[in-house]
Amino acid sequence: MSGETDLNTLLKTLQPALSPESFVFVSVPYAVSPTHLANALMVYKEDEGITLILESSFARNEGFAVDSIYKRITCNVHSSLDAVGMTAAMSAGLTRANISANVVAGFYHDHIFVPASRADEAIAVLLELANPS
């Protein structure tokens, strides 16, 4: 498997980037519309239904209740799925700042969804992990 596994290297090269779009998490029954699937950033099957991460504007237009709005932070370091401690370090830093974090790991990068109102603070926390003072 490719990607970085050394925690110190991962944190030093985190390169967190904030997406301009806002997102929501919704749950739908197992009969998901092809339009919803095609527009989902992420699809995850749970026992209770299917979780979709959708752009908030699309979700509103589709009639979903939009309560909590999130911003996506992409950690541009190519982290290995076998890396140990990166998620824990990011979560610990965000916890100290009292910022909720929903982490999604892709093959190449980790993505953190944080409350839109706290996104700039979350970026600052992650940058501090990369460059501790």
Side-chain angles (χ1 to χ4, degrees):
M1 177 170 290
S2 60
E4 184 59 57
T5 58
D6 179 72
L7 181 59
N8 289 327
T9 302
L10 286 166
L11 295 177
K12 287 179 184 174
T13 59
L14 205 54
Q15 301 173 22
L18 186 62
S19 70
E21 304 88 8
S22 296
F23 297 92
V24 297
F25 287 68
V26 300
S27 181
V28 297
Y30 286 111
V32 181
S33 104
T35 301
H36 295 161
L37 283 176
N39 284 279
L41 181 64
M42 186 207 77
V43 177
Y44 194 86
K45 185 178 177 183
E46 297 184 281
D47 291 341
E48 299 83 359
I50 296 177
T51 297
L52 304 174
I53 300 177
L54 302 169
E55 279 193 46
S56 59
S57 58
F58 173 79
R60 277 190 190 97
N61 290 340
E62 291 295 306
F64 287 104
V66 175
D67 296 325
S68 299
I69 307 292
Y70 299 90
K71 289 286 194 173
R72 177 185 63 199
I73 299 172
T74 296
C75 300
N76 284 304
V77 61
H78 179 185
S79 54
S80 170
L81 291 169
D82 292 328
V84 175
M86 182 175 158
T87 301
M90 293 185 302
S91 294
L94 293 167
T95 296
R96 283 190 297 276
N98 199 35
I99 299 172
S100 69
N102 297 284
V103 180
V104 174
F107 186 84
Y108 293 101
H109 306 288
D110 286 62
H111 309 273
I112 307 168
F113 292 84
V114 298
S117 63
R118 308 281 313 271
D120 291 333
E121 292 172 77
I123 286 285
V125 167
L126 296 175
L127 288 172
E128 177 66 21
L129 290 175
N131 299 300
S133 42

